[in-house]
Amino acid sequence: MFNNGRNTIGVLISQVNSEFQDALSIGIMTRAKELNYNVAFFTNFGGYGQNNYDKGEFKIADLPCYEDLDGIIIVPETYAVRGLEDRIREHIAKRCTCPVVSVRRKSDEYYSVLIDDNSVIEELIRHFIVDHGFTRLNFLAGPKGYPDSEIRLDSYIRILKEYNIPIEEDRIYYGDFWKNEAYRAMDHWLSSDLPLPQAIICANDYMAITACKALMRRGYSVPADIAISGCDDVLDAAEFHPSITTARMPLHAMGAEAVDKIHKHLMGIEQEKAAYMKTVAVIRESCGCPMDSTNERIERKRYYMNLTEALQHAIARNAYMSGDLTGLTKLDDIYDRLRFYVYENVGFTDFYMCLRPDWQNYNENEEDETAGCYNAIPGYEMLMEIGLKNRVDNNRIAFPARELIPSEFVDDKPMFYFFAMLHHQDKSFGYIAISFDEIKTYMPTFQAWLINVSNALENIRIHNELNRLVYKLEDMYIRDEMTGLYNRRGMEILGKKYLKQSVEKKSRMMIFVA
């Protein structure tokens, strides 16, 4: 893949512009650049329960030419579309001979890069017991049966036993790694017959933040009345007041380790099947300790200001883009407008919009299940309808589907590309390929950007289909159904036209009427 003499790693990851995925992807690219590897990211976005939209996003699993990859990194915990992981694993089993690394989920078939879940919250619990002297510790777990949740709960039970603190079942509540259950947990504990907890250990930061809000709404002070800790160190954890004591995942290091596992395999270097990464305790205000990192707060504030400004600009730009593309009925018009929006995104160096030759009518002759699997069809070609290389416009090109981008645009350096599907609901049109001028991931509102482009293509498809149907109806109106010859209406409508042409060209004309 890419054909520039370098090995290529394929990364299958969803929601790549989310916080965890962004940091992990940057770690992958940074290490790949050091080792002289190409990286192709295949990403998609969840439809939040919109089944037809998810069907279109699902086809990202079929896009890579798995046979041409020299290594694969999968991140199953990010897959929001039902069945996506199974589809990816099916392709890997049938078509791959390269090493595969699973991040954050242990796999018997593949290498794994994992968090040492046994120690994720261990340091935080010890901090509450040893440094603060707490003995009434409640635990807000994730969903029951969820591996990460159960391991963290086991750590809580193990450490309490180590310090001879009784395990009280009513101090344990299963949450959902999100917000709603955290509110219910606070209601449950505040109405319990047990004495109020001195501290609540939450299995992730989102539940910790929600627990703080729930307690404060009910008149309790955090950490004066009840201390709180979270896990994962999401961006909101530092900005929330009080800032959340948490455990930080070494995301950059995990991305680098995934690349190293592939590199060692290809080099024939012996290694363990799984690598376990340690988290770092980040002590902040919610446990009762003073916030001693002014630099961190300043950096976070600067980050949020920049993010807010970027989001405001992106939302306005996408809204204008949606209106600008609505109503266009010709491909050339869309291309002209789309080039403008590509140029406006100063981070893009390369942008390719690649469509199926039959994108306007594939449903008439192809099953949905194979609509995204272009490289599985021998000799199948894609059309690069828009191609910007180093922000220079290029002509329309047909190229083999398995190459993903035309060979004319291959660089003699490590190449990093992001691929995402273009589709309207479950109708697949093709995909886009993007490269940036630095190591980074998508702009924050890229999903909306993709939807705008896909909707514009759907408008074109519908417009052309309506024109085709109108032409067909008009043709049916002037032709005899049995023979296909013009009927009397056809002679009345077209007779003068053909007579005029005959006179102008001084040609003979004969009319048969039955």
Side-chain angles (χ1 to χ4, degrees):
M1 190 178 290
F2 295 149
N3 299 317
N4 65 350
R6 290 168 177 79
N7 289 332
T8 298
I9 296 172
V11 182
L12 291 117
I13 183 170
S14 297
Q15 309 282 147
V16 76
N17 56 356
S18 296
E19 189 177 339
F20 164 76
Q21 293 91 315
D22 176 78
L24 182 73
S25 299
I26 289 172
I28 290 170
M29 286 185 281
T30 302
R31 186 60 175 149
K33 186 175 182 180
E34 293 169 356
L35 294 174
N36 207 27
Y37 283 86
N38 303 316
V39 183
F41 290 88
F42 300 94
T43 189
N44 70 332
F45 298 89
Y48 305 100
Q50 299 297 317
N51 189 46
N52 279 341
Y53 181 82
D54 282 348
K55 285 180 181 178
E57 291 293 294
F58 178 87
K59 295 183 177 97
I60 193 68
D62 299 328
L63 185 59
C65 187
Y66 290 82
E67 295 86 348
D68 293 346
L69 293 170
D70 302 288
I72 293 174
I73 297 172
I74 62 172
V75 194
E77 285 191 0
T78 69
Y79 302 156
V81 174
R82 187 186 300 276
L84 183 64
E85 182 182 356
D86 291 339
R87 181 71 161 184
I88 290 169
R89 285 177 173 271
E90 179 186 334
H91 281 304
I92 289 173
K94 290 180 179 177
R95 303 169 62 187
C96 281
T97 57
C98 66
V100 180
V101 180
S102 174
V103 175
R104 283 296 305 271
R105 183 177 297 174
K106 191 170 185 180
S107 170
D108 294 332
E109 310 111 289
Y110 315 139
Y111 292 108
S112 303
V113 176
L114 309 166
I115 291 294
D116 182 4
D117 283 304
N118 291 309
S119 65
V120 167
I121 61 169
E122 182 174 325
E123 192 175 349
L124 297 176
I125 300 172
R126 293 186 192 280
H127 175 68
F128 280 130
I129 296 172
V130 176
D131 298 328
H132 291 281
F134 294 155
T135 56
R136 298 195 306 276
L137 303 169
N138 288 19
F139 187 74
L140 180 52
K144 194 167 189 175
Y146 196 85
D148 287 358
S149 174
E150 296 294 347
I151 292 172
R152 293 173 193 183
L153 176 57
D154 289 344
S155 297
Y156 163 81
I157 294 170
R158 173 171 51 82
I159 296 169
L160 261 59
K161 286 181 178 177
E162 183 182 323
Y163 287 93
N164 296 316
I165 298 174
I167 309 298
E168 298 171 282
E169 289 296 327
D170 206 36
R171 293 198 182 277
I172 299 170
Y173 191 97
Y174 282 99
D176 57 0
F177 280 142
W178 196 230
K179 299 176 180 178
N180 293 337
E181 288 299 324
Y183 282 108
R184 295 188 184 102
M186 297 308 107
D187 287 336
H188 172 74
W189 282 328
L190 293 177
S191 62
S192 170
D193 293 333
L194 290 173
L196 283 179
Q198 295 165 303
I200 297 172
I201 297 127
C202 301
N204 79 347
D205 288 335
Y206 293 115
M207 292 195 297
I209 290 169
T210 306
C212 287
K213 290 178 180 178
L215 289 171
M216 288 187 283
R217 285 179 187 177
R218 289 156 178 78
Y220 292 90
S221 174
V222 178
D225 296 324
I226 299 174
I228 297 280
S229 71
C231 187
D232 296 338
D233 193 27
V234 300
L235 289 173
D236 291 345
E239 283 303 304
F240 188 76
H241 182 73
S243 55
I244 304 296
T245 291
T246 185
R248 179 177 294 157
M249 304 288 175
L251 301 178
H252 286 81
M254 292 174 72
E257 179 63 24
V259 175
D260 281 339
K261 285 217 160 288
I262 291 171
H263 178 68
K264 288 176 183 176
H265 180 98
L266 296 178
M267 295 296 104
I269 301 170
E270 290 288 330
Q271 60 180 320
E272 294 290 331
K273 196 80 180 286
Y276 289 89
M277 317 294 286
K278 293 281 187 183
T279 56
V280 178
V282 182
I283 306 302
R284 297 196 181 108
E285 297 164 328
S286 69
C287 68
C289 290
M291 183 77 171
D292 59 358
S293 178
T294 338
N295 288 336
E296 181 189 20
R297 192 175 285 281
I298 291 171
E299 284 301 315
R300 294 278 187 171
K301 188 173 182 179
R302 183 179 295 119
Y303 173 85
Y304 267 96
M305 287 176 65
N306 292 336
L307 179 62
T308 301
E309 185 180 348
L311 279 171
Q312 287 174 342
H313 177 65
I315 289 168
R317 178 180 57 218
N318 283 339
Y320 181 78
M321 179 185 182
S322 176
D324 196 20
L325 295 180
T326 299
L328 297 181
T329 57
K330 295 180 181 177
L331 277 174
D332 288 344
D333 293 339
I334 285 186
Y335 300 158
D336 289 340
R337 299 310 301 150
L338 191 52
R339 285 185 180 95
F340 167 79
Y341 291 105
V342 171
Y343 280 127
E344 191 190 22
N345 287 288
V346 293
F348 293 3
T349 54
D350 303 349
F351 176 92
Y352 308 110
M353 185 171 80
C354 306
L355 301 181
R356 308 166 53 95
D358 59 345
W359 68 272
Q360 295 194 56
N361 58 6
Y362 82 86
N363 271 339
E364 295 180 3
N365 53 34
E366 186 171 4
E367 301 252 346
D368 277 356
E369 286 73 13
T370 60
C373 206
Y374 313 124
N375 55 62
I377 306 171
Y380 193 88
E381 288 192 330
M382 296 294 289
L383 294 176
M384 186 204 76
E385 296 286 1
I386 297 177
L388 300 173
K389 175 71 176 173
N390 294 321
R391 307 188 71 77
V392 175
D393 204 356
N394 291 272
N395 295 326
R396 186 172 185 257
I397 296 174
F399 65 96
R402 70 182 299 157
E403 292 181 3
L404 289 181
I405 63 170
S407 56
E408 292 91 328
F409 304 128
V410 168
D411 290 319
D412 187 20
K413 63 179 181 180
M415 297 167 60
F416 304 138
Y417 273 89
F418 292 86
F419 296 91
M421 301 304 295
L422 287 173
H423 64 96
H424 182 266
Q425 301 297 344
D426 57 345
K427 296 184 182 69
S428 177
F429 303 142
Y431 58 88
I432 56 98
I434 293 175
S435 184
F436 295 95
D437 56 2
E438 57 187 60
I439 290 180
K440 61 182 290 189
T441 59
Y442 288 130
M443 58 189 183
T445 58
F446 195 78
Q447 183 179 14
W449 202 92
L450 282 172
I451 290 172
N452 283 340
V453 176
S454 296
N455 286 347
L457 291 172
E458 174 66 357
N459 287 341
I460 294 285
R461 190 191 72 79
I462 290 173
H463 177 78
N464 290 342
E465 177 67 9
L466 287 174
N467 282 346
R468 187 182 71 82
L469 290 174
V470 168
Y471 176 82
K472 186 175 180 180
L473 286 171
E474 288 176 344
D475 199 53
M476 289 169 62
Y477 181 70
I478 62 174
R479 289 186 185 275
D480 174 66
E481 186 176 348
M482 182 178 294
T483 63
L485 298 174
Y486 288 123
N487 56 23
R488 190 185 68 181
R489 286 186 296 270
M491 187 175 73
E492 290 174 349
I493 293 170
L494 300 175
K496 289 183 180 179
K497 172 186 171 184
Y498 290 146
L499 179 60
K500 183 180 178 183
Q501 288 177 356
S502 179
V503 170
E504 289 174 350
K505 295 179 181 180
K506 298 183 178 180
S507 60
R508 295 185 178 184
M509 183 177 183
M510 182 178 289
I511 300 172
F512 289 90
V513 179

